[in-house]
Amino acid sequence: MEPMNFLEHLRSVDHQPAVRTSMFVVGCVLVVASPIVGAIPGPGGVFVFAAGFGLMLRYSKKAKRHYVRFKRRWPTHGRWTDWGLRRASARRRAERKARLADLAPHHDATSN
């Protein structure tokens, strides 16, 4: 039997309720701390908020449901948030939009 490498160990521990709860709490603390860090010169508060928000979305089903509801109500803001969090869904949508734009016929504005 081979010993687990570090990433495999993290993935196996990731599903335990205590780990999920503690990571969600860490995310909440980061979100609450972001205005304090934001008072320091530089963009630090934005990154702290994004890290906390990402942890909250990853480890809380309730936070995910609220986020999905937010995205449905305000799709433009949801796209901005996906882009800011570097979510894979945002990347897939951007790639799909680029493919569809390449397939669409181009109209010349001067030919009217």
Side-chain angles (χ1 to χ4, degrees), residues 2 6-8 13 16-17 32-33 43-44 58 63 93-94 105:
E2 289 184 29
F6 183 70
L7 290 177
E8 288 174 355
V13 174
Q16 296 179 0
V32 170
R58 180 175 172 104
R93 277 192 295 278

Side-chain angles (χ1 to χ4, degrees), residues 1-65:
M1 180 172 178
E2 289 184 29
M4 276 197 242
N5 69 18
F6 183 70
L7 290 177
E8 288 174 355
H9 178 67
L10 282 179
R11 285 187 199 111
S12 68
V13 174
D14 193 39
H15 298 291
Q16 296 179 0
V19 172
R20 295 184 68 81
T21 303
S22 62
M23 294 303 283
F24 177 73
V25 169
V26 168
C28 291
V29 168
L30 289 174
V31 167
V32 170
S34 65
I36 298 165
V37 175
I40 300 169
V46 173
F47 297 113
V48 172
F49 179 83
F53 191 61
L55 284 173
M56 288 171 58
L57 284 178
R58 180 175 172 104
Y59 292 106
S60 170
K61 290 182 182 182
K62 188 175 181 179
K64 284 180 192 177
R65 280 194 303 271

Side-chain angles (χ1 to χ4, degrees), residues 64-78:
K64 284 180 192 177
R65 280 194 303 271
H66 283 290
Y67 178 66
V68 167
R69 204 173 310 141
F70 167 80
K71 282 180 57 171
R72 285 186 184 141
R73 187 167 182 182
W74 295 291
T76 304
H77 299 310

Side-chain angles (χ1 to χ4, degrees), residues 77-93:
H77 299 310
R79 281 192 295 273
W80 293 345
T81 307
D82 282 346
W83 177 79
L85 291 172
R86 306 286 194 256
R87 294 179 58 94
S89 59
R91 215 175 0 227
R92 283 192 306 270
R93 277 192 295 278

